[in-house]
Amino acid sequence: MVLFSKTNMSYGVNEVLFASVLGAGVFAIFAAQPLVIVGVTGISWTKINRWAMAMHLVLAITNACNALKYVTRFSCDIFGFYVAFIYLQKGIQVLTRQYNAGDTSAYLAIMVSLLVLMTAYACGVIGNSSLFQHYVRVFFKDYGTPLTICFFTGFVHIGKMERVNLSVLPTSKSFTPTLDRGWVVDFWNVSVGDVFLAFPFAVFLTILFYFDHNVSSLIAQGTEFPLRKPAGFHWDIFLLGITTGLSGLLGVPFPNGLIPQAPFHTTSLCVTRQKTDMNKEHKGKTETVVEYVVEQRVSNLAQGLLILGTMSGPLLIVLHLIPEAVLSGLFFVMGMQALEANGITKKILFLANDRSHTPASDPLKRIQRRAAVWAFLGIELLGFGATFAITQTIAAVGFPVFILLLIPVRTFLLPKYFTEDELVILDAPTASPFTMESVGGNYGIPGSTDVLPRVLEPPLDDEEATEGLPMKALDGRILSDDDENLMKRGDDSKLKHSGVMHKLGDAERDTIEMHRTS
């Protein structure tokens, strides 16, 4: 929709759908980590595809992804915060265009978009609440947003609203490009001058995709997800180069990893259960615990095939019925959900919260210098503000370089003011040492490339039998309540002083059981 208006109607729904199908198909079948949702970013320029593809291949061959060990939640949170505000901005931009059809259309569009936001957000709240049965909550959480879009697509045809002219999603003929051309562009007619002119833009695109796709992959494999299958960052960036080259030849937007869709996909594959807190302070309180993640390739591939089906004539007609106001509301939903899960938002809420009502288990409460939290948050907001500001200027094409500079800022500058213990809590590796093993481990985690001593937690199928017993490390040390709370959150990287990790093998579980019963 936004892409359609900004490319002089050169790229429409079919180009976006086809690019999404390409990304989903290639990564679902061939990627080392198929959980990462790959979709459209909105960037498409045929002349840069060959340069960008070559640069991606060079990055993969030279093991450039090893630099990911320096990427922490500091960079990821700033970038995720930026992406969330971009979604909110796009939603507002869509609404401002509704005034072209008249004030009445604009007011109805604003109302519908806000109703979509409130309804879809309410479904998410129900999904995370204690209302109804567990399977009902899961249904609201997983299907609330798509059902909201379906409902409000029909809602605008009720009563007098049907007579209001609302802008709808523009579509074209089935399985054909928006413009009168073939799917393969005539790249052989591109002049030599244009080819070399495209080089610097290909550099910017490669930097963006290197950071964007890898960060999406890191967040989708975050420490809160107990994954068992290893990552393959080098191979995946190689595949991204292939899809970038193919997209340029087909004249469609370049697909890459998406935030917040990628971590949302992993979250939707988590198998959870309700656990009763036996701690004296919160005894009887229940919480949701992730038992395991259904790691597979089917859901990503199925999504791609379903998207391909929407390029058919009957379903394109259905897509054409969706008001732009509903899609604006969807932008708002994705932006709000991304903000809610962001580490920057959590720090803001911690500082704004009444200290007496802040749970003792909150790790930020362990920081003795409250000014350190304020300072770290201020630096993150400054990084976000500068990133967002540069994208609103003529220099927007260069913003990937600015994003990449956040990594050395975190690595070399922040340790000069913050202590190591403060940084362990304020900022940590995005993914566990298990995930980061292929790129040399996590920065700042001693011995993370080795087989670390792992956290001891009771076997999932025998937890009730051991409930209430103290948890011990492999060295016999009883873990503290703070360590256990961190383990529940899956933040194994923040337990470096305890030398623990959240993944366990069968042999390790047996060892732990002996310690627990000794």
Side-chain angles (χ1 to χ4, degrees), residues 359-392:
S361 59
D362 194 320
L364 290 175
K365 219 173 182 183
R366 298 169 58 189
I367 299 177
Q368 296 181 353
R369 293 193 307 160
R370 194 174 180 87
V373 183
W374 279 103
F376 194 87
L377 174 62
I379 294 172
E380 287 184 317
L381 292 176
L382 180 63
F384 155 71
T387 304
F388 191 83
I390 196 174
T391 57
Q392 310 303 311

Side-chain angles (χ1 to χ4, degrees), residues 50 53 72 101 164 180 207 326 329 340 401 414 462 506 510 512:
R50 282 158 289 181
M53 178 177 68
T72 62
V164 179
D180 187 15
I207 294 173
V326 172
E340 190 175 25
V401 177
L414 295 191
D462 196 28
D506 293 334
D510 293 338
I512 292 166

Side-chain angles (χ1 to χ4, degrees), residues 44-343:
S44 181
W45 190 15
T46 303
K47 301 178 181 67
I48 71 174
N49 74 299
R50 282 158 289 181
W51 288 116
M53 178 177 68
M55 292 175 189
H56 279 76
L57 300 186
V58 170
L59 290 176
I61 294 171
T62 58
N63 291 339
C65 290
N66 284 345
L68 291 178
K69 64 184 178 182
Y70 297 103
V71 177
T72 62
R73 291 194 180 271
F74 172 77
S75 306
C76 294
D77 284 345
I78 292 175
F79 187 67
F81 209 70
Y82 162 77
V83 171
F85 270 86
I86 288 296
Y87 276 117
L88 297 177
Q89 182 189 41
K90 297 303 179 186
I92 294 172
Q93 287 176 346
V94 171
L95 289 180
T96 57
R97 292 203 303 269
Q98 306 309 307
Y99 283 95
N100 296 333
D103 290 347
T104 303
S105 299
Y107 295 148
L108 178 59
I110 293 172
M111 183 199 72
V112 170
S113 66
L114 293 178
L115 286 174
V116 169
L117 169 62
M118 290 185 288
T119 305
Y121 188 82
C123 290
V125 171
I126 293 174
N128 293 318
S129 70
S130 57
L131 295 173
F132 313 117
Q133 296 295 319
H134 180 65
Y135 64 89
V136 176
R137 296 196 298 271
V138 171
F139 178 83
F140 272 101
K141 189 173 183 178
D142 290 346
Y143 300 104
T145 299
L147 290 177
T148 298
I149 294 173
C150 293
F151 174 80
F152 282 99
T153 297
F155 175 77
V156 296
H157 296 283
I158 297 175
K160 295 182 179 180
M161 290 185 291
E162 188 175 13
R163 296 197 291 270
V164 179
N165 180 27
L166 284 178
S167 299
V168 294
L169 185 67
T171 57
S172 56
K173 295 180 181 179
S174 61
F175 297 107
T176 59
T178 302
L179 295 180
D180 187 15
R181 65 172 181 88
W183 276 113
V184 179
V185 300
D186 55 346
F187 61 90
W188 49 85
N189 291 327
V190 177
S191 66
V192 176
D194 286 343
V195 170
F196 284 95
L197 178 64
F199 179 79
F201 297 97
V203 172
F204 291 136
L205 176 73
T206 303
I207 294 173
L208 173 62
F209 278 15
Y210 173 82
F211 189 86
D212 194 359
H213 183 84
N214 283 319
V215 166
S216 300
S217 183
L218 286 171
I219 298 177
Q221 302 173 80
T223 54
E224 65 270 29
F225 303 121
L227 300 177
R228 291 185 172 272
K229 297 183 180 179
F233 295 97
H234 305 298
W235 172 249
D236 286 356
I237 206 71
F238 177 87
L239 282 183
L240 191 64
I242 300 299
T243 57
T244 300
L246 290 175
S247 299
L249 293 178
L250 297 171
V252 298
F254 302 140
N256 76 307
L258 296 178
I259 301 174
Q261 289 90 330
F264 286 170
H265 179 228
T266 309
T267 300
S268 69
L269 296 173
C270 291
V271 176
T272 61
R273 62 185 173 86
Q274 296 297 116
K275 178 182 176 182
T276 302
D277 193 342
M278 299 303 294
N279 188 289
K280 293 181 179 180
E281 185 178 353
H282 304 101
K283 191 170 184 179
K285 182 180 179 182
T286 60
E287 61 179 344
T288 301
V289 178
V290 178
E291 287 193 335
Y292 61 92
V293 179
V294 182
E295 300 176 68
Q296 38 71 40
R297 299 176 182 271
V298 176
S299 58
N300 204 341
L301 180 61
Q303 173 183 269
L305 295 176
L306 289 172
I307 292 175
L308 181 63
T310 60
M311 294 178 66
S312 63
L315 291 180
L316 275 179
I317 294 175
V318 174
L319 290 180
H320 185 62
L321 295 175
I322 301 177
E324 289 187 357
V326 172
L327 298 178
S328 173
L330 179 60
F331 282 135
F332 291 147
V333 171
M334 291 190 293
M336 290 296 295
Q337 289 177 339
L339 283 178
E340 190 175 25
N342 193 274

